[in-house]
Amino acid sequence: MTVFPLKFTRLASDYLFADDAGGYFRGDRNFLERYAGGNLTASDTEFLHRNGYAFDEVGDPAYLGFAYRWAQRLHRPQGLNYVILVPTLRCNLACGYCQVSRVNENTTGFDWTEDALAQVLRFLDGMDTASAKIEFQGGEPLLRLDLLQTVREFARRKFKDVSFTVCTNLQSVSDEAWTFLDASDTFVSTSLDGDLSAHQRQRTITSHGTDQFVSNLRYGIERLGRGKVSALPTLDVNNLPTPNQIIETFGDFGFRSIFLRPINHQGFARKRYQTTGMDERWNDYHGGFIDALIEHNWTADFPVEEFYFTHCLRRVLRGGHNHHVDLRNPNILGKDYIVIDFDGTFYPSDEARMVTRVGQIDLSLGNLWDGIDQVKLDVLNEEATNSFHPDCIHCPYQAACGIDVIDDLSRYGRIDVPKRDTTFCRRHTAIFEKVFELLYSDDKKAHKSLAAWAGIPEFDSSLAPVHR
């Protein structure tokens, strides 16, 4: 019998063991010493073989089962089916943490030209997919509703199945815009920065502006339906609302999913806000937020999730959970999604657009007229996997984790920094530690939330296997 390599880390007074395919179990110091010393007992070998951690010979069912589980953990990008379009950089707000240096509402020269629009439609027409998702960003995209209408009309004819998301601040919405948003295939994503006082401080500035936003958000939810409107908070790590303030504010609007995000380092926000050296503070806050959600959900009629924690939990529990583009392995850039800026420039991600705009490094990938710079894209993708990094291959969280070369370039100017020293690694290590802390907890409150977040009727002890 051959045991697939096991990686381990401390888990309370015991150890968490995991293999390269995402299997995991809790064991004690005695098992660790037996495993490391090659002195496994009959009970050890029976457990390892029965649970897919060992095989008898290459090609036997246990070997093939492991290979299948391992393959399921790898992201295999399909053809291009997700496009982020930036028809204008103009905006009617001046948020202090704006990531891509928006321009004033009346500034000229920052919208698609007629030629650029024609090239966007030509690009969409060349996509070889039956289904697509198109996201409009800005600036404030509703300032160019005409461009959104033209793209949507074309895409509906081109694709068999297509959806649209408008990322809008909801500050000023015309009757024509509301009519546009009424369509069943069109969704709204907006910002709600924690609680209303933080939102006003960071975005609307005045109480009148805040009232206007709140009125539009409530009206949008009522008119369009709660399932068509989402809101994301952007948080200043040096001035954080309490977890309960955020939960109550989002609950007041009927939101049951909250995606906590610190102010982004990649863009211009780094010039006004502290975005480095904050890992420990953010990780502590995020862990406390999860605890607050668990307490809230124990008595709530409907459970509330923190979106990214739920995503990480589900990646721990099963392979193939790759719908969030910031956490995949390999995380191949420029393959299944791409960004087209107001000037027709291609970027592999919105974060790459930010890094370029601040003048740190040019991560653009060509433009609508000259095409995608494949040579540059291939260079970026050479290290777009965590499968071979010295730190990652020894980490028990590797199978559920991913990689972000854009974030590393933004923060360190290079991609060969030891992963354990990166913000990406520290944040995800903290999240996965929290996931396993809760999975192996005896707290019934935690079990109730975990079941809801995992999408199962109730918590099952099989989610927390133990061998001693």
Side-chain angles (χ1 to χ4, degrees):
M1 184 190 78
T2 302
V3 179
F4 293 108
L6 294 174
K7 300 171 276 194
F8 55 89
T9 189
R10 291 305 299 261
L11 177 63
S13 61
D14 287 329
Y15 292 84
L16 176 73
F17 294 85
D19 62 23
D20 289 335
Y24 63 87
F25 63 93
R26 182 175 183 167
D28 59 14
R29 177 78 184 185
N30 292 330
F31 172 77
L32 173 60
E33 291 178 352
R34 295 196 302 271
Y35 170 67
N39 298 311
L40 296 175
T41 66
S43 174
D44 295 333
T45 57
E46 192 276 334
F47 171 83
L48 294 172
H49 204 290
R50 173 166 46 87
N51 289 281
Y53 299 107
F55 65 99
D56 292 322
E57 60 183 36
V58 174
D60 70 9
Y63 183 93
L64 295 177
F66 178 89
Y68 177 79
R69 290 193 295 115
W70 179 80
Q72 287 294 102
R73 290 288 176 174
L74 300 179
H75 172 60
R76 298 171 297 282
Q78 306 300 311
L80 182 67
N81 58 18
Y82 176 23
V83 182
I84 297 175
L85 300 177
V86 185
T88 179
L89 276 190
R90 295 185 298 117
C91 190
N92 50 4
L93 286 182
C95 306
Y97 59 73
C98 187
Q99 299 164 344
V100 291
S101 189
R102 42 70 73 198
V103 297
N104 291 330
E105 182 176 358
N106 297 321
T107 306
T108 60
F110 290 90
D111 297 3
W112 284 343
T113 62
E114 289 187 9
D115 185 29
L117 173 60
Q119 293 298 323
V120 167
L121 300 183
R122 184 180 67 85
F123 180 82
L124 296 176
D125 195 40
M127 290 171 58
D128 185 19
T129 180
S131 62
K133 177 180 179 180
I134 296 175
E135 183 174 308
F136 297 106
Q137 292 192 13
E140 171 51 55
L142 290 181
L143 293 177
R144 288 306 308 266
L145 187 61
D146 57 322
L147 297 177
L148 274 59
Q149 290 170 328
T150 300
V151 169
R152 189 172 72 174
E153 290 171 3
F154 177 86
R156 284 172 171 171
R157 296 193 300 269
K158 160 66 180 175
F159 304 107
K160 182 178 180 180
D161 178 30
V162 62
S163 66
F164 308 88
T165 299
V166 181
C167 299
T168 170
N169 58 39
L170 284 181
Q171 203 60 38
S172 178
V173 186
S174 66
D175 291 341
E176 187 180 13
W178 283 122
T179 300
F180 177 85
L181 297 172
D182 279 335
S184 60
D185 60 2
T186 304
F187 300 83
V188 169
S189 177
T190 192
S191 293
L192 175 56
D193 283 355
D195 65 350
L196 293 181
S197 63
H199 189 88
Q200 181 167 313
R201 182 173 62 250
Q202 295 179 176
R203 297 181 63 83
T204 53
I205 308 303
T206 67
S207 58
H208 173 73
T210 304
D211 291 343
Q212 187 177 30
F213 163 74
V214 170
S215 175
N216 283 335
L217 178 56
R218 292 196 187 282
Y219 179 72
I221 293 170
E222 178 184 357
R223 174 169 177 157
L224 306 177
R226 187 169 290 115
K228 287 189 57 183
V229 181
S230 62
L232 303 174
T234 301
L235 304 176
D236 178 3
V237 184
N238 279 320
N239 199 354
L240 292 164
T242 68
N244 284 333
Q245 285 175 324
I246 297 178
I247 295 169
E248 290 169 6
T249 300
F250 274 70
D252 185 51
F253 290 99
F255 293 122
R256 298 173 191 166
S257 182
I258 306 171
F259 186 178
L260 296 185
R261 305 176 304 169
I263 289 174
N264 201 312
H265 175 76
Q266 281 95 337
F268 283 90
R270 70 174 79 171
K271 296 184 177 182
R272 299 187 61 178
Y273 293 87
Q274 184 178 355
T275 58
T276 59
M278 309 294 284
D279 297 343
E280 185 175 356
R281 182 180 298 182
W282 175 258
N283 292 341
D284 288 346
Y285 179 80
H286 189 269
F289 190 89
I290 301 304
D291 292 337
L293 281 179
I294 289 171
E295 194 65 33
H296 170 84
N297 289 342
W298 182 241
T299 57
D301 293 332
F302 301 99
V304 178
E305 69 169 7
E306 198 283 312
F307 168 83
Y308 200 68
F309 186 85
T310 294
H311 180 67
C312 289
L313 169 67
R314 294 186 178 189
R315 282 181 63 84
V316 165
L317 297 179
R318 56 183 176 268
H321 200 67
N322 295 308
H323 66 269
H324 186 63
V325 299
D326 290 341
L327 190 66
R328 309 190 297 195
N329 180 53
N331 198 353
I332 304 300
L333 299 168
K335 179 66 174 177
D336 54 353
Y337 80 105
I338 202 161
V339 179
I340 304 177
D341 207 0
F342 77 99
D343 59 359
T345 302
F346 290 124
Y347 292 97
S349 70
D350 201 35
E351 290 75 15
R353 180 170 70 115
M354 301 175 201
V355 173
T356 303
R357 292 279 293 169
V358 299
Q360 182 180 6
I361 182 174
D362 183 3
L363 295 178
S364 61
L365 296 174
N367 56 65
L368 288 165
W369 295 268
D370 301 322
I372 293 177
D373 186 341
Q374 191 61 49
V375 173
K376 191 172 184 179
L377 185 57
D378 289 344
V379 171
L380 276 175
N381 281 325
E382 284 181 359
E383 297 294 328
T385 176
N386 74 14
S387 298
F388 310 107
H389 283 284
D391 288 332
C392 299
I393 62 175
H394 299 294
C395 177
Y397 311 131
Q398 180 189 25
C401 199
I403 193 166
D404 191 341
V405 296
I406 304 300
D407 190 61
D408 286 353
L409 284 170
S410 172
R411 293 178 183 276
Y412 316 111
R414 55 196 301 160
I415 59 175
D416 59 352
V417 176
K419 291 302 173 187
R420 65 182 181 277
D421 296 332
T422 65
T423 290
F424 181 90
C425 180
R426 291 182 184 127
R427 286 185 180 172
H428 286 87
T429 296
I431 291 174
F432 290 125
E433 285 177 346
K434 189 69 175 179
V435 166
F436 284 104
E437 172 195 323
L438 296 176
L439 283 173
Y440 284 95
S441 167
D442 294 327
D443 185 356
K444 292 183 179 180
K445 294 181 180 180
H447 290 174
K448 180 181 179 182
S449 283
L450 286 174
W453 298 338
I456 56 179
E458 60 183 18
F459 185 84
D460 191 287
S461 60
S462 65
L463 300 179
V466 177
H467 174 68
R468 300 189 184 281

